[in-house]
């Protein structure tokens, strides 16, 4: 069973009692919860902070939830939105979904039902997120293809990136030239060619040069290894 804890959730709800009830319950589930009491402030928070989920009431002072949802979507916020709507307003539900909400919950609701929706949305959210690949202080984000070492960005060409991603996914394993060639280039790769050596030396310059710990190792007669442990040769 999926159990997301430690998520960051924004609750936009003007009825203080309802807002606090949701906040308290979600905190007990291990989440960090911000509360906003009007549409303008809620929309602002949704844009400037990174939330894993937004719970958004439709009837709000200053700006209604449907406008808030539409605006944050237009500004590129992709955080899942759970809309809270009134029982008698089918129209609100449809408009909410059209405005980019992911799900809705009809008021009044039981906390268990809210929790079930929250879990489902967080699960979907975490399936979309590709985890960052890590070794020592080297980080690689397969979604954005952003590579950093010690927090500093490293600029790589497409091929250098592909090679590094393959190495980091197979860290602590010695990879032969043939294996690297087949995965990063193509199956017709000529293992006698020195192209991998050339790319490895580019990567060494960009990733290891000036660092205390070298991550890229050549294992004579066998291939290459990405490891933060000194390899036994
Ligand atoms: Ca309200």
């Amino acid at each position: 069973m999926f159990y997301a804890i430690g998520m960051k959730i924004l609750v936009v709800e003007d009825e203080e009692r309802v807002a606090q009830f949701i906040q308290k319950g979600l905190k007990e589930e291990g989440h960090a919860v911000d509360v906003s009491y009007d549409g303008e402030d809620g929309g602002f928070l949704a844009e400037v902070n990174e939330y894993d989920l937004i719970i958004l009431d439709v009837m709000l002072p200053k700006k209604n939830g449907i406008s808030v949802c539409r605006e944050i979507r237009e500004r590129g916020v992709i955080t899942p939105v759970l809309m809270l709507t009134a029982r008698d307003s089918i129209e609100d539900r449809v408009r909410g979904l059209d405005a980019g909400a992911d799900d809705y919950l009809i008021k009044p609701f039981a906390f268990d039902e809210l929790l079930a929706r929250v879990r489902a949305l967080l699960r979907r959210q975490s399936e979309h997120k590709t985890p960052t690949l890590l070794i020592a202080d080297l980080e690689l984000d397969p979604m954005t293809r952003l590579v950093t070492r010690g927090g500093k960005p490293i600029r790589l060409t497409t091929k250098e990136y592909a090679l590094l991603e393959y190495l980091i996914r197979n860290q602590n394993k010695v990879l032969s030239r043939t294996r690297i060639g087949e995965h990063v280039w193509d199956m017709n790769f000529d293992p006698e060619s020195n192209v991998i050596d050339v790319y490895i030396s580019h990567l060494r310059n960009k990733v290891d040069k000036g660092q205390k710990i070298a991550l890229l190792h050549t294992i004579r007669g066998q291939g290459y290894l990405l490891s933060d442990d000194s390899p036994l040769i």
Side-chain angles (χ1 to χ4, degrees), residues 65-195:
I66 288 160
S67 303
V68 172
C69 189
R70 186 176 302 115
E71 284 178 23
I72 62 171
R73 289 292 185 251
E74 280 168 6
R75 288 177 189 157
V77 177
I78 54 163
T79 311
V81 170
L82 174 63
M83 207 80 120
L84 304 179
T85 68
R87 180 173 295 280
D88 53 1
S89 184
I90 293 170
E91 201 190 321
D92 275 358
R93 275 168 244 160
V94 174
R95 284 168 63 215
L97 294 171
D98 281 347
D102 298 86
D103 199 0
Y104 61 84
L105 191 57
I106 298 160
K107 285 169 136 183
F109 50 84
F111 188 71
D112 280 351
E113 195 186 353
L114 173 81
L115 216 50
R117 302 293 174 97
V118 166
R119 277 201 202 110
L121 286 172
L122 289 176
R123 185 193 307 126
R124 249 193 267 166
Q125 167 83 337
S126 70
E127 281 164 0
H128 283 267
K129 270 191 191 168
T130 325
T132 304
L133 303 169
L134 272 176
I135 183 167
D137 57 351
L138 179 68
E139 271 188 55
L140 188 149
D141 183 344
M143 278 294 283
T144 59
R145 301 201 153 196
L146 200 74
V147 179
T148 59
R149 180 140 192 204
K152 286 191 188 136
I154 298 173
R155 292 172 71 101
L156 298 177
T157 64
T158 308
K159 219 51 177 175
E160 288 167 349
Y161 174 86
L163 175 57
L164 186 63
E165 185 180 327
Y166 184 62
L167 291 169
I168 204 167
R169 285 191 189 277
N170 290 284
Q171 56 185 270
N172 299 312
K173 281 184 218 155
V174 179
L175 301 169
S176 68
R177 275 186 185 73
T178 309
R179 209 171 143 191
I180 294 172
E182 283 172 1
H183 278 88
V184 182
W185 276 265
D186 60 53
M187 54 190 288
N188 301 315
F189 181 79
D190 175 13
E192 301 303 314
S193 127
N194 73 341
V195 66

